[in-house]
mmCIF file with all atom_site columns, all heavy atoms in Angstrom:
data_model
loop_
_atom_site.group_PDB
_atom_site.id
_atom_site.type_symbol
_atom_site.label_atom_id
_atom_site.label_alt_id
_atom_site.label_comp_id
_atom_site.label_asym_id
_atom_site.label_entity_id
_atom_site.label_seq_id
_atom_site.pdbx_PDB_ins_code
_atom_site.Cartn_x
_atom_site.Cartn_y
_atom_site.Cartn_z
_atom_site.occupancy
_atom_site.B_iso_or_equiv
_atom_site.pdbx_formal_charge
_atom_site.auth_seq_id
_atom_site.auth_comp_id
_atom_site.auth_asym_id
_atom_site.auth_atom_id
_atom_site.pdbx_PDB_model_num
ATOM 1   N N   . SER A 1 256 ? 137.174 105.540 109.973 1.00 0.00 ? 256 SER A N   1
ATOM 2   C CA  . SER A 1 256 ? 137.976 106.176 111.019 1.00 0.00 ? 256 SER A CA  1
ATOM 3   C C   . SER A 1 256 ? 137.164 106.120 112.324 1.00 0.00 ? 256 SER A C   1
ATOM 4   O O   . SER A 1 256 ? 135.986 106.498 112.328 1.00 0.00 ? 256 SER A O   1
ATOM 5   C CB  . SER A 1 256 ? 138.242 107.640 110.621 1.00 0.00 ? 256 SER A CB  1
ATOM 6   O OG  . SER A 1 256 ? 138.924 108.284 111.657 1.00 0.00 ? 256 SER A OG  1
ATOM 7   N N   . PRO A 1 257 ? 137.745 105.637 113.410 1.00 0.00 ? 257 PRO A N   1
ATOM 8   C CA  . PRO A 1 257 ? 136.975 105.466 114.651 1.00 0.00 ? 257 PRO A CA  1
ATOM 9   C C   . PRO A 1 257 ? 136.275 106.752 115.086 1.00 0.00 ? 257 PRO A C   1
ATOM 10  O O   . PRO A 1 257 ? 136.835 107.842 114.975 1.00 0.00 ? 257 PRO A O   1
ATOM 11  C CB  . PRO A 1 257 ? 138.052 105.078 115.678 1.00 0.00 ? 257 PRO A CB  1
ATOM 12  C CG  . PRO A 1 257 ? 139.184 104.546 114.875 1.00 0.00 ? 257 PRO A CG  1
ATOM 13  C CD  . PRO A 1 257 ? 139.167 105.286 113.567 1.00 0.00 ? 257 PRO A CD  1
ATOM 14  N N   . GLY A 1 258 ? 135.006 106.584 115.492 1.00 0.00 ? 258 GLY A N   1
ATOM 15  C CA  . GLY A 1 258 ? 134.266 107.727 116.041 1.00 0.00 ? 258 GLY A CA  1
ATOM 16  C C   . GLY A 1 258 ? 133.812 108.725 114.991 1.00 0.00 ? 258 GLY A C   1
ATOM 17  O O   . GLY A 1 258 ? 133.560 109.883 115.299 1.00 0.00 ? 258 GLY A O   1
ATOM 18  N N   . ARG A 1 259 ? 133.792 108.280 113.743 1.00 0.00 ? 259 ARG A N   1
ATOM 19  C CA  . ARG A 1 259 ? 133.309 109.189 112.677 1.00 0.00 ? 259 ARG A CA  1
ATOM 20  C C   . ARG A 1 259 ? 132.037 108.606 112.072 1.00 0.00 ? 259 ARG A C   1
ATOM 21  O O   . ARG A 1 259 ? 131.994 108.261 110.892 1.00 0.00 ? 259 ARG A O   1
ATOM 22  C CB  . ARG A 1 259 ? 134.357 109.383 111.581 1.00 0.00 ? 259 ARG A CB  1
ATOM 23  C CG  . ARG A 1 259 ? 135.731 109.897 111.976 1.00 0.00 ? 259 ARG A CG  1
ATOM 24  C CD  . ARG A 1 259 ? 135.756 111.021 112.942 1.00 0.00 ? 259 ARG A CD  1
ATOM 25  N NE  . ARG A 1 259 ? 137.039 111.653 113.027 1.00 0.00 ? 259 ARG A NE  1
ATOM 26  C CZ  . ARG A 1 259 ? 138.021 111.277 113.844 1.00 0.00 ? 259 ARG A CZ  1
ATOM 27  N NH1 . ARG A 1 259 ? 137.835 110.233 114.638 1.00 0.00 ? 259 ARG A NH1 1
ATOM 28  N NH2 . ARG A 1 259 ? 139.175 111.924 113.862 1.00 0.00 ? 259 ARG A NH2 1
ATOM 29  N N   . GLU A 1 260 ? 130.975 108.506 112.865 1.00 0.00 ? 260 GLU A N   1
ATOM 30  C CA  . GLU A 1 260 ? 129.753 107.874 112.333 1.00 0.00 ? 260 GLU A CA  1
ATOM 31  C C   . GLU A 1 260 ? 128.948 108.893 111.522 1.00 0.00 ? 260 GLU A C   1
ATOM 32  O O   . GLU A 1 260 ? 127.866 109.302 111.894 1.00 0.00 ? 260 GLU A O   1
ATOM 33  C CB  . GLU A 1 260 ? 128.882 107.327 113.469 1.00 0.00 ? 260 GLU A CB  1
ATOM 34  C CG  . GLU A 1 260 ? 129.415 106.021 114.104 1.00 0.00 ? 260 GLU A CG  1
ATOM 35  C CD  . GLU A 1 260 ? 130.668 106.263 114.958 1.00 0.00 ? 260 GLU A CD  1
ATOM 36  O OE1 . GLU A 1 260 ? 130.741 107.345 115.588 1.00 0.00 ? 260 GLU A OE1 1
ATOM 37  O OE2 . GLU A 1 260 ? 131.563 105.420 114.949 1.00 0.00 ? 260 GLU A OE2 1
ATOM 38  N N   . MET A 1 261 ? 129.533 109.314 110.426 1.00 0.00 ? 261 MET A N   1
ATOM 39  C CA  . MET A 1 261 ? 128.859 110.332 109.588 1.00 0.00 ? 261 MET A CA  1
ATOM 40  C C   . MET A 1 261 ? 127.481 109.836 109.150 1.00 0.00 ? 261 MET A C   1
ATOM 41  O O   . MET A 1 261 ? 127.330 108.695 108.727 1.00 0.00 ? 261 MET A O   1
ATOM 42  C CB  . MET A 1 261 ? 129.722 110.593 108.347 1.00 0.00 ? 261 MET A CB  1
ATOM 43  C CG  . MET A 1 261 ? 129.213 111.693 107.443 1.00 0.00 ? 261 MET A CG  1
ATOM 44  S SD  . MET A 1 261 ? 130.465 112.037 106.159 1.00 0.00 ? 261 MET A SD  1
ATOM 45  C CE  . MET A 1 261 ? 129.407 112.737 104.873 1.00 0.00 ? 261 MET A CE  1
ATOM 46  N N   . LEU A 1 262 ? 126.483 110.680 109.314 1.00 0.00 ? 262 LEU A N   1
ATOM 47  C CA  . LEU A 1 262 ? 125.119 110.278 108.981 1.00 0.00 ? 262 LEU A CA  1
ATOM 48  C C   . LEU A 1 262 ? 124.882 110.423 107.479 1.00 0.00 ? 262 LEU A C   1
ATOM 49  O O   . LEU A 1 262 ? 125.810 110.638 106.712 1.00 0.00 ? 262 LEU A O   1
ATOM 50  C CB  . LEU A 1 262 ? 124.131 111.098 109.809 1.00 0.00 ? 262 LEU A CB  1
ATOM 51  C CG  . LEU A 1 262 ? 124.124 110.762 111.312 1.00 0.00 ? 262 LEU A CG  1
ATOM 52  C CD1 . LEU A 1 262 ? 123.032 111.519 112.049 1.00 0.00 ? 262 LEU A CD1 1
ATOM 53  C CD2 . LEU A 1 262 ? 123.957 109.273 111.556 1.00 0.00 ? 262 LEU A CD2 1
ATOM 54  N N   . LEU A 1 263 ? 123.606 110.310 107.068 1.00 0.00 ? 263 LEU A N   1
ATOM 55  C CA  . LEU A 1 263 ? 123.275 110.228 105.649 1.00 0.00 ? 263 LEU A CA  1
ATOM 56  C C   . LEU A 1 263 ? 122.851 111.584 105.085 1.00 0.00 ? 263 LEU A C   1
ATOM 57  O O   . LEU A 1 263 ? 121.898 112.190 105.600 1.00 0.00 ? 263 LEU A O   1
ATOM 58  C CB  . LEU A 1 263 ? 122.114 109.245 105.452 1.00 0.00 ? 263 LEU A CB  1
ATOM 59  C CG  . LEU A 1 263 ? 122.379 107.804 105.883 1.00 0.00 ? 263 LEU A CG  1
ATOM 60  C CD1 . LEU A 1 263 ? 121.061 107.044 105.977 1.00 0.00 ? 263 LEU A CD1 1
ATOM 61  C CD2 . LEU A 1 263 ? 123.333 107.126 104.914 1.00 0.00 ? 263 LEU A CD2 1
ATOM 62  N N   . PRO A 1 264 ? 123.513 112.040 104.026 1.00 0.00 ? 264 PRO A N   1
ATOM 63  C CA  . PRO A 1 264 ? 122.981 113.216 103.329 1.00 0.00 ? 264 PRO A CA  1
ATOM 64  C C   . PRO A 1 264 ? 121.616 112.848 102.719 1.00 0.00 ? 264 PRO A C   1
ATOM 65  O O   . PRO A 1 264 ? 121.312 111.666 102.526 1.00 0.00 ? 264 PRO A O   1
ATOM 66  C CB  . PRO A 1 264 ? 123.994 113.490 102.217 1.00 0.00 ? 264 PRO A CB  1
ATOM 67  C CG  . PRO A 1 264 ? 125.196 112.663 102.543 1.00 0.00 ? 264 PRO A CG  1
ATOM 68  C CD  . PRO A 1 264 ? 124.723 111.524 103.369 1.00 0.00 ? 264 PRO A CD  1
ATOM 69  N N   . GLY A 1 265 ? 120.800 113.847 102.439 1.00 0.00 ? 265 GLY A N   1
ATOM 70  C CA  . GLY A 1 265 ? 119.505 113.495 101.845 1.00 0.00 ? 265 GLY A CA  1
ATOM 71  C C   . GLY A 1 265 ? 118.730 114.703 101.364 1.00 0.00 ? 265 GLY A C   1
ATOM 72  O O   . GLY A 1 265 ? 119.159 115.847 101.489 1.00 0.00 ? 265 GLY A O   1
ATOM 73  N N   . ALA A 1 266 ? 117.535 114.401 100.870 1.00 0.00 ? 266 ALA A N   1
ATOM 74  C CA  . ALA A 1 266 ? 116.694 115.419 100.224 1.00 0.00 ? 266 ALA A CA  1
ATOM 75  C C   . ALA A 1 266 ? 115.963 116.297 101.232 1.00 0.00 ? 266 ALA A C   1
ATOM 76  O O   . ALA A 1 266 ? 115.207 117.196 100.831 1.00 0.00 ? 266 ALA A O   1
ATOM 77  C CB  . ALA A 1 266 ? 115.685 114.717 99.318  1.00 0.00 ? 266 ALA A CB  1
ATOM 78  N N   . GLY A 1 267 ? 116.160 116.021 102.527 1.00 0.00 ? 267 GLY A N   1
ATOM 79  C CA  . GLY A 1 267 ? 115.510 116.887 103.515 1.00 0.00 ? 267 GLY A CA  1
ATOM 80  C C   . GLY A 1 267 ? 115.331 116.181 104.846 1.00 0.00 ? 267 GLY A C   1
ATOM 81  O O   . GLY A 1 267 ? 115.495 114.977 104.961 1.00 0.00 ? 267 GLY A O   1
ATOM 82  N N   . VAL A 1 268 ? 114.987 116.959 105.871 1.00 0.00 ? 268 VAL A N   1
ATOM 83  C CA  . VAL A 1 268 ? 114.829 116.444 107.242 1.00 0.00 ? 268 VAL A CA  1
ATOM 84  C C   . VAL A 1 268 ? 113.429 116.801 107.721 1.00 0.00 ? 268 VAL A C   1
ATOM 85  O O   . VAL A 1 268 ? 113.123 117.975 107.953 1.00 0.00 ? 268 VAL A O   1
ATOM 86  C CB  . VAL A 1 268 ? 115.891 117.067 108.181 1.00 0.00 ? 268 VAL A CB  1
ATOM 87  C CG1 . VAL A 1 268 ? 115.654 116.630 109.627 1.00 0.00 ? 268 VAL A CG1 1
ATOM 88  C CG2 . VAL A 1 268 ? 117.289 116.691 107.723 1.00 0.00 ? 268 VAL A CG2 1
ATOM 89  N N   . GLY A 1 269 ? 112.577 115.801 107.832 1.00 0.00 ? 269 GLY A N   1
ATOM 90  C CA  . GLY A 1 269 ? 111.186 116.060 108.231 1.00 0.00 ? 269 GLY A CA  1
ATOM 91  C C   . GLY A 1 269 ? 110.871 115.420 109.569 1.00 0.00 ? 269 GLY A C   1
ATOM 92  O O   . GLY A 1 269 ? 111.762 115.055 110.329 1.00 0.00 ? 269 GLY A O   1
ATOM 93  N N   . GLY A 1 270 ? 109.577 115.307 109.832 1.00 0.00 ? 270 GLY A N   1
ATOM 94  C CA  . GLY A 1 270 ? 109.130 114.666 111.070 1.00 0.00 ? 270 GLY A CA  1
ATOM 95  C C   . GLY A 1 270 ? 108.713 115.677 112.114 1.00 0.00 ? 270 GLY A C   1
ATOM 96  O O   . GLY A 1 270 ? 108.836 116.884 111.934 1.00 0.00 ? 270 GLY A O   1
ATOM 97  N N   . HIS A 1 271 ? 108.260 115.130 113.243 1.00 0.00 ? 271 HIS A N   1
ATOM 98  C CA  . HIS A 1 271 ? 107.716 115.966 114.314 1.00 0.00 ? 271 HIS A CA  1
ATOM 99  C C   . HIS A 1 271 ? 108.756 116.241 115.391 1.00 0.00 ? 271 HIS A C   1
ATOM 100 O O   . HIS A 1 271 ? 108.531 117.007 116.304 1.00 0.00 ? 271 HIS A O   1
ATOM 101 C CB  . HIS A 1 271 ? 106.546 115.217 114.947 1.00 0.00 ? 271 HIS A CB  1
ATOM 102 C CG  . HIS A 1 271 ? 106.954 113.837 115.325 1.00 0.00 ? 271 HIS A CG  1
ATOM 103 N ND1 . HIS A 1 271 ? 107.112 112.835 114.377 1.00 0.00 ? 271 HIS A ND1 1
ATOM 104 C CD2 . HIS A 1 271 ? 107.322 113.289 116.490 1.00 0.00 ? 271 HIS A CD2 1
ATOM 105 C CE1 . HIS A 1 271 ? 107.536 111.742 114.976 1.00 0.00 ? 271 HIS A CE1 1
ATOM 106 N NE2 . HIS A 1 271 ? 107.670 111.994 116.256 1.00 0.00 ? 271 HIS A NE2 1
ATOM 107 N N   . CYS A 1 272 ? 109.943 115.594 115.294 1.00 0.00 ? 272 CYS A N   1
ATOM 108 C CA  . CYS A 1 272 ? 110.947 115.777 116.358 1.00 0.00 ? 272 CYS A CA  1
ATOM 109 C C   . CYS A 1 272 ? 112.126 116.621 115.901 1.00 0.00 ? 272 CYS A C   1
ATOM 110 O O   . CYS A 1 272 ? 112.410 117.679 116.440 1.00 0.00 ? 272 CYS A O   1
ATOM 111 C CB  . CYS A 1 272 ? 111.498 114.419 116.779 1.00 0.00 ? 272 CYS A CB  1
ATOM 112 S SG  . CYS A 1 272 ? 110.305 113.275 117.375 1.00 0.00 ? 272 CYS A SG  1
ATOM 113 N N   . ILE A 1 273 ? 112.835 116.085 114.891 1.00 0.00 ? 273 ILE A N   1
ATOM 114 C CA  . ILE A 1 273 ? 114.128 116.666 114.545 1.00 0.00 ? 273 ILE A CA  1
ATOM 115 C C   . ILE A 1 273 ? 114.031 118.111 114.085 1.00 0.00 ? 273 ILE A C   1
ATOM 116 O O   . ILE A 1 273 ? 114.838 118.955 114.500 1.00 0.00 ? 273 ILE A O   1
ATOM 117 C CB  . ILE A 1 273 ? 114.860 115.782 113.504 1.00 0.00 ? 273 ILE A CB  1
ATOM 118 C CG1 . ILE A 1 273 ? 114.947 114.326 113.998 1.00 0.00 ? 273 ILE A CG1 1
ATOM 119 C CG2 . ILE A 1 273 ? 116.269 116.319 113.248 1.00 0.00 ? 273 ILE A CG2 1
ATOM 120 C CD1 . ILE A 1 273 ? 115.616 114.111 115.327 1.00 0.00 ? 273 ILE A CD1 1
ATOM 121 N N   . PRO A 1 274 ? 113.061 118.492 113.264 1.00 0.00 ? 274 PRO A N   1
ATOM 122 C CA  . PRO A 1 274 ? 112.996 119.911 112.862 1.00 0.00 ? 274 PRO A CA  1
ATOM 123 C C   . PRO A 1 274 ? 112.574 120.845 113.999 1.00 0.00 ? 274 PRO A C   1
ATOM 124 O O   . PRO A 1 274 ? 112.821 122.042 113.950 1.00 0.00 ? 274 PRO A O   1
ATOM 125 C CB  . PRO A 1 274 ? 111.936 119.919 111.754 1.00 0.00 ? 274 PRO A CB  1
ATOM 126 C CG  . PRO A 1 274 ? 111.814 118.511 111.305 1.00 0.00 ? 274 PRO A CG  1
ATOM 127 C CD  . PRO A 1 274 ? 112.095 117.678 112.516 1.00 0.00 ? 274 PRO A CD  1
ATOM 128 N N   . LYS A 1 275 ? 111.945 120.302 115.026 1.00 0.00 ? 275 LYS A N   1
ATOM 129 C CA  . LYS A 1 275 ? 111.370 121.157 116.085 1.00 0.00 ? 275 LYS A CA  1
ATOM 130 C C   . LYS A 1 275 ? 112.271 121.289 117.309 1.00 0.00 ? 275 LYS A C   1
ATOM 131 O O   . LYS A 1 275 ? 112.502 122.375 117.834 1.00 0.00 ? 275 LYS A O   1
ATOM 132 C CB  . LYS A 1 275 ? 110.033 120.576 116.519 1.00 0.00 ? 275 LYS A CB  1
ATOM 133 C CG  . LYS A 1 275 ? 109.371 121.292 117.697 1.00 0.00 ? 275 LYS A CG  1
ATOM 134 C CD  . LYS A 1 275 ? 108.175 120.518 118.258 1.00 0.00 ? 275 LYS A CD  1
ATOM 135 C CE  . LYS A 1 275 ? 108.612 119.369 119.112 1.00 0.00 ? 275 LYS A CE  1
ATOM 136 N NZ  . LYS A 1 275 ? 107.581 118.784 119.979 1.00 0.00 ? 275 LYS A NZ  1
ATOM 137 N N   . ASP A 1 276 ? 112.840 120.167 117.741 1.00 0.00 ? 276 ASP A N   1
ATOM 138 C CA  . ASP A 1 276 ? 113.542 120.168 119.028 1.00 0.00 ? 276 ASP A CA  1
ATOM 139 C C   . ASP A 1 276 ? 114.758 121.096 119.084 1.00 0.00 ? 276 ASP A C   1
ATOM 140 O O   . ASP A 1 276 ? 115.013 121.705 120.141 1.00 0.00 ? 276 ASP A O   1
ATOM 141 C CB  . ASP A 1 276 ? 113.910 118.735 119.432 1.00 0.00 ? 276 ASP A CB  1
ATOM 142 C CG  . ASP A 1 276 ? 112.650 117.900 119.730 1.00 0.00 ? 276 ASP A CG  1
ATOM 143 O OD1 . ASP A 1 276 ? 111.541 118.481 119.681 1.00 0.00 ? 276 ASP A OD1 1
ATOM 144 O OD2 . ASP A 1 276 ? 112.772 116.700 119.973 1.00 0.00 ? 276 ASP A OD2 1
#
Side-chain angles (χ1 to χ4, degrees):
S256 176
R259 303 316 194 272
E260 285 72 35
M261 184 172 156
L262 290 185
L263 299 165
V268 175
H271 52 285
C272 301
I273 307 303
K275 175 191 77 164
D276 293 356

